[in-house]
Amino acid sequence: MKQNRESDLARRVDSFVSNLLDDAGLNVRNVKVQKSRADFVLERASGASDSDTQDSREIQLGMLSAGQRNAVILAPALAVAENGPFGFMILDDPVHAFDELRVDRTAKALVQIARARRVIVLTHDERLKEQLLAASVDVDVRSISRNSSGTLEVLSADAVWRLLLEDARRLFGLGHLTPLSTSIRGLCRQAVDNALRLFVTQQAAKNGASPDAWLGQLDAVNVNKLSDRFSAARRPGIDAAGLNALAKAKALLTDYEEPWNRAAHGQPSQCPGKEKVTEAELDTAEAIGETLTGTHHV
């Protein structure tokens, strides 16, 4: 019975190690469970050389990079969560020192586990937050901070593009004078660009592709023109609904692209009649974000 449990655990741990570290070609064998601890042997996949023996393929943690070591340590925790006795799982900064590929795969693994139990993740890594928001609609994001009296506060946190627009609206409330217009428009530009990145990440997740590759194509485009970045976001694999959302958002962009692009470089608008920012611009930026990400504030 114990041997069966060890074999099952070995299979699941090996699956997570292979998924998180397939670029390193690592396998797990000889899992031994003893009360509150478990040991296993990490090795390079067989077939690298005909002269390799099982012992010569063994890998020590010190031979791996920091990100690879953390992935090896994380894999057993993810493996036991699937069939563990608890209805929840708590992880503290699980993607420390991870590259984009491992952040993407960790997010997908967490979403899979979250189908059967509640998963709580503590992290300061915006990449993981972005990936989780893209991979699942059932994500509740909170920020934890310490106020002036030293008390911890847990507050609801929104997507980055909404937070940027909140800042823009606060500035607008101070009076839409020309000196503030450039700053407000710069925030609108950042918000729209962030929503576009989230759109690309969501579409990559739907296609089972690496968001890193799709975002890399987006970021290779001239950052001076938002319309060029919208064009770069359109690529094979995006479904009809996604293409429609992208086209609708790009159409909304038309009236304000010039002042937003200039504001991104700290320059005032040169368009007649657009010297000062308007509330309609903020509303349009929000509409673009909602169109791209499929969200709406009630």
Side-chain angles (χ1 to χ4, degrees), residues 100 126-127 130-131 134 160-161 164 189-205 211-220 223 226 229-230 233 246 288-289 292-293:
E100 293 284 351
E126 284 294 327
R127 297 173 303 167
E130 186 178 62
Q131 299 280 18
V160 173
W161 70 269
L164 290 167
R189 160 63 196 259
Q190 291 178 51
V192 168
D193 201 62
N194 183 267
L196 184 62
R197 287 179 62 83
L198 184 55
F199 168 84
V200 170
T201 304
Q202 289 173 329
Q203 292 299 321
D212 187 32
W214 285 38
L215 289 172
Q217 178 177 311
L218 178 67
D219 291 338
V223 297
L226 266 176
R229 290 177 66 74
F230 270 75
L246 191 63
I288 291 173
L292 288 172
T293 60

Side-chain angles (χ1 to χ4, degrees), residues 199 202-203 206 233-235 237-249 291-292:
F199 168 84
Q202 289 173 329
Q203 292 299 321
K206 288 181 180 179
R234 182 187 177 97
R235 56 174 296 160
I238 297 180
D239 58 24
L243 292 174
N244 182 59
L246 191 63
K248 183 178 178 181
T291 300
L292 288 172

Side-chain angles (χ1 to χ4, degrees), residues 74-129:
L74 177 64
L78 299 178
V80 298
E82 288 189 320
N83 296 312
F86 303 107
F88 65 92
M89 180 182 189
I90 301 177
L91 293 169
D92 184 12
D93 201 12
V95 295
H96 177 67
F98 279 19
D99 57 17
E100 293 284 351
L101 176 63
R102 265 171 273 282
V103 172
D104 171 40
R105 292 182 176 177
T106 301
K108 289 177 179 176
L110 293 177
V111 170
Q112 179 67 30
I113 293 171
R115 292 175 180 173
R117 52 190 27 84
R118 185 178 297 277
V119 177
I120 301 171
V121 182
L122 306 176
T123 184
H124 62 271
D125 196 309
E126 284 294 327
R127 297 173 303 167
L128 180 58
K129 172 184 170 183

